[in-house]
Amino acid sequence: MHMKSFKWPNGYRAAVSLCFDVDAESGWIIEPENHRRLSLLSTGAYGRRVGVPRILDLLERHGLTAQFFIPGYTAEIDSKLVQTIHGDGHPIGCHGYLHERTDGLTYEEEDAILAKSISILADITGVRPTGFRAPLWEVTPQTLELLGKHEFAFDSSLMGTDVPYAIQAGGRRILELPVTWLLDDWEQFAYSAVPQVGAVIEEPDKVLRLWKAEFDALYEEGRYFMLTMHPEIIGRASRIAMLDALIKHMKQHDDVWFCTPQELHAAWEDRKFETDDFPY
């Protein structure tokens, strides 16, 4: 069986999406024992206070638009940050409320979290979010059912291939924009002593080599490079410099489409490219 070629619109050879999950304190505050642990919580706050501004400056310098996925809790405690991201023209999608794993939620709990998250982001930006990324990329059949119920246009949590594909979500056909742990800054840089997260903090040069190698290989095959990052992780000075170098490398290719999930979905709806349908 030979790999099926993928045809991008407008003569593009490959596509790139830059995505930032603004978890901030939401991933830690969900555990009651962490509520008094200010040092731990401040590692998330760093992403809001320092990481996002660095990211927005970098995107502005390169003239790029990125996707931001923001938990409802993050949006509640820092609505001005959400307004700034939105005001700079970057689309915002749902990412849970307290960064909850979906596989531990009842239907009613997950339904309420989605409704609450949509409402919070819509109230701040004036735009109803149409994209979803599951916290920790945990998606269940129940999650897909609810994405259909709440009329999401796309999801970016699954890993079934390395080009966009279509999935069934509650009777709706929505676009899936696949991710991979390989292209996630958390796996490379994240560290916490308690709870224990990570074992080695990688050097930026090593991660630059890793991500450049994957981009170059995907480019040769005409595939999709979806990069997932977290402001508290990628927002450190040396890592922003590394991301800057990676973007410069990718921009050397004139036939690469730098696009947001929203732009991909709009092109898909306009039938500017076709996708395969997969169950997950």
Side-chain angles (χ1 to χ4, degrees):
M1 179 180 177
H2 296 286
M3 186 171 65
K4 182 179 178 181
S5 62
F6 194 85
K7 293 185 178 180
W8 297 99
N10 302 320
Y12 287 112
R13 181 186 179 101
V16 170
S17 291
L18 304 177
C19 294
F20 299 92
D21 297 357
V22 192
D23 298 343
E25 293 97 320
S26 69
W28 305 121
I29 203 76
I30 190 171
E31 301 296 340
E33 62 267 25
N34 292 333
H35 290 191
R36 298 177 67 250
R37 301 186 60 206
L38 301 186
S39 293
L40 179 64
L41 295 177
S42 70
T43 65
Y46 181 93
R48 297 189 288 110
R49 297 169 181 164
V50 182
V52 170
R54 278 192 179 131
I55 290 164
L56 294 178
D57 286 346
L58 178 67
L59 294 171
E60 183 178 10
R61 291 200 304 272
H62 282 285
L64 296 176
T65 304
Q67 172 74 40
F68 288 76
F69 291 101
I70 305 181
Y73 179 83
T74 301
E76 281 186 332
I77 65 172
D78 203 339
S79 61
K80 289 185 178 180
L81 180 76
V82 178
Q83 292 168 353
T84 298
I85 294 169
H86 175 70
D88 280 8
H90 303 289
I92 294 172
C94 288
H95 194 45
Y97 178 73
L98 283 174
H99 205 264
E100 307 90 344
R101 286 180 59 141
T102 64
D103 56 329
L105 300 173
T106 66
Y107 182 94
E108 292 74 19
E109 288 171 337
E110 190 171 4
D111 188 22
I113 287 168
L114 278 173
K116 183 177 183 178
S117 300
I118 291 168
S119 177
I120 291 169
L121 294 175
D123 286 347
I124 295 171
T125 65
V127 178
R128 188 184 190 280
T130 59
F132 176 77
R133 170 167 286 164
L136 290 102
W137 292 336
E138 286 288 346
V139 173
T140 71
Q142 172 179 288
T143 304
L144 296 183
E145 179 70 25
L146 287 167
L147 292 184
K149 174 183 176 181
H150 289 278
E151 300 183 343
F152 280 93
F154 71 87
D155 172 66
S156 184
S157 312
L158 301 175
M159 310 183 191
T161 181
D162 48 23
V163 292
Y165 60 103
I167 58 173
Q168 288 295 319
R172 292 168 54 89
R173 186 172 182 258
I174 70 172
L175 189 63
E176 179 62 42
L177 300 172
V179 294
T180 171
W181 294 110
L182 170 64
L183 298 176
D184 187 321
D185 63 348
W186 191 268
E187 302 313 301
Q188 305 301 324
F189 294 125
Y191 180 83
S192 170
V194 180
Q196 185 173 356
V197 174
V200 177
I201 300 175
E202 298 289 0
E203 298 179 22
D205 287 349
K206 179 260 187 182
V207 181
L208 178 60
R209 292 194 304 271
L210 177 73
W211 288 353
K212 281 177 66 175
E214 184 67 6
F215 168 78
D216 289 345
L218 290 171
Y219 172 81
E220 287 302 316
E221 293 187 0
R223 312 296 275 184
Y224 180 48
F225 184 89
M226 160 67 81
L227 190 57
T228 299
M229 295 164 283
H230 303 77
E232 66 268 34
I233 304 297
I234 201 69
R236 293 286 170 176
S238 61
R239 298 167 189 170
I240 283 288
M242 179 272 292
L243 180 58
D244 181 45
L246 176 66
I247 291 171
K248 289 175 179 175
H249 173 75
M250 295 190 293
K251 289 177 75 173
Q252 292 175 0
H253 304 74
D254 293 333
D255 52 357
V256 170
W257 183 20
F258 285 87
C259 54
T260 65
Q262 273 80 3
E263 290 169 327
L264 274 169
H265 181 264
W268 180 64
E269 286 236 301
D270 290 342
R271 302 187 66 82
K272 293 181 179 178
F273 67 89
E274 299 293 330
T275 59
D276 287 326
D277 287 65
F278 293 119
Y280 53 83

